[in-house]
Amino acid sequence: MPRNATSKTSSKSTKAAARGAKASATDAIKLLTEDHKKVSALFDEFEKMKKKGDDDEEAKQLIVETVCAELTIHAQIEEEIFYPAARDAIDDMDLLDEAEVEHASAKQLISELSAMQPGDELYDAKFTVLGEYVKHHVEEEEKEMFPKVKKSDLDLEELGAELEQRKMELREELGLVSDDDELEDEEGSATKSTSRKNVH
Ligand SMILES: [Fe+2]
């Protein structure tokens, strides 16, 4: 009797599908690229406000807080999950070392910004410089790192599911609820990790 094709279903992808049911169509690179787009659009919005001389401090603060929270989560899922997987899969340690160093610089600015108010003298400047770091980060990843990762044998769907899962945990830890992810299940939130609350 011929072997049934279903026996080839990998337990890896089944596991990934179970964990990332909500984001099953998202591979790791797509997910990270979406994050890049989201924050880049917010940086653009802030720069437009600056050019127009719009000093709506509340709007500026909302942009800054959103970007800082998104970037904190983005950097953390890359450091915890994506970079270690990429290190094993691609032969370019320099690229990964540089990415981690760049994250450290961005985190420094994020922490300084979170202690400031719009209207403080270097507030706008710090956010603009953060935007420049992020632009560089996006270019390096999208033009150099991601193409190499795509060519490797990494399971991008499984990795994407892991990233999505961790992202949701971190969003909860930071008290963020996006409009498309209904995370209002208070009962379920009791299981979230509290020991990794070192994002700052
Ligand atoms: Fe990134």
Side-chain angles (χ1 to χ4, degrees):
M1 193 180 284
R3 189 174 294 197
N4 192 320
T6 54
S7 67
K8 286 183 97 179
T9 306
S10 97
S11 62
K12 261 185 171 184
S13 54
T14 310
K15 205 166 70 181
R19 274 186 306 180
K22 223 173 163 181
S24 55
T26 301
D27 77 20
I29 288 175
K30 225 164 149 186
L31 180 144
L32 296 173
T33 305
E34 284 301 316
D35 279 358
H36 292 166
K37 273 193 209 151
K38 189 171 177 182
V39 293
S40 299
L42 289 166
F43 277 116
D44 288 348
E45 207 176 313
F46 189 88
E47 291 308 315
K48 266 188 220 153
M49 287 181 74
K50 265 172 74 178
K51 272 196 192 116
K52 279 196 293 189
D54 184 341
D55 51 7
D56 181 344
E57 297 194 342
E58 219 172 291
K60 276 187 174 171
Q61 190 164 18
L62 186 63
I63 292 176
V64 172
E65 282 174 359
T66 306
V67 166
C68 288
E70 294 292 339
L71 284 178
T72 299
I73 293 172
H74 181 80
Q76 197 160 341
I77 61 173
E78 285 187 333
E79 285 169 20
E80 284 183 6
I81 299 165
F82 187 74
Y83 291 168
R87 271 188 196 277
D88 287 341
I90 67 172
D91 185 23
D92 195 335
M93 292 305 111
D94 287 351
L95 196 57
L96 283 147
D97 287 345
E98 285 162 25
E100 296 206 21
V101 172
E102 284 167 8
H103 273 190
S105 309
K107 280 183 196 164
Q108 176 62 34
L109 276 181
I110 289 171
S111 122
E112 287 172 23
L113 276 162
S114 64
M116 294 171 83
Q117 299 291 322
D120 287 354
E121 204 178 339
L122 290 177
Y123 187 85
D124 285 10
K126 281 182 198 270
F127 192 66
T128 297
V129 172
L130 179 62
E132 283 160 8
Y133 285 171
V134 168
K135 198 172 173 194
H136 183 255
H137 163 93
V138 167
E139 276 177 13
E140 293 243 300
E141 287 195 340
E142 295 187 3
K143 289 186 183 152
E144 294 189 53
M145 193 190 296
F146 292 173
K148 287 185 180 178
V149 169
K150 268 187 197 165
K151 279 190 210 153
S152 77
D153 56 5
L154 263 185
D155 183 338
L156 293 177
E157 291 282 325
E158 184 181 20
L159 204 57
E162 268 184 62
L163 292 170
E164 182 68 32
Q165 175 67 33
R166 186 69 183 120
K167 202 172 161 179
M168 285 187 350
E169 284 173 15
L170 290 168
R171 290 186 79 84
E172 281 192 82
E173 284 180 23
L174 289 176
L176 299 172
V177 179
S178 71
D179 24 48
D180 48 2
D181 289 332
E182 292 298 320
L183 295 175
E184 287 168 20
D185 178 8
E186 291 299 323
E187 288 168 22
S189 68
T191 58
K192 75 186 177 192
S193 156
T194 50
S195 59
R196 301 171 88 164
K197 212 168 181 176
N198 57 352
V199 265
H200 199 53

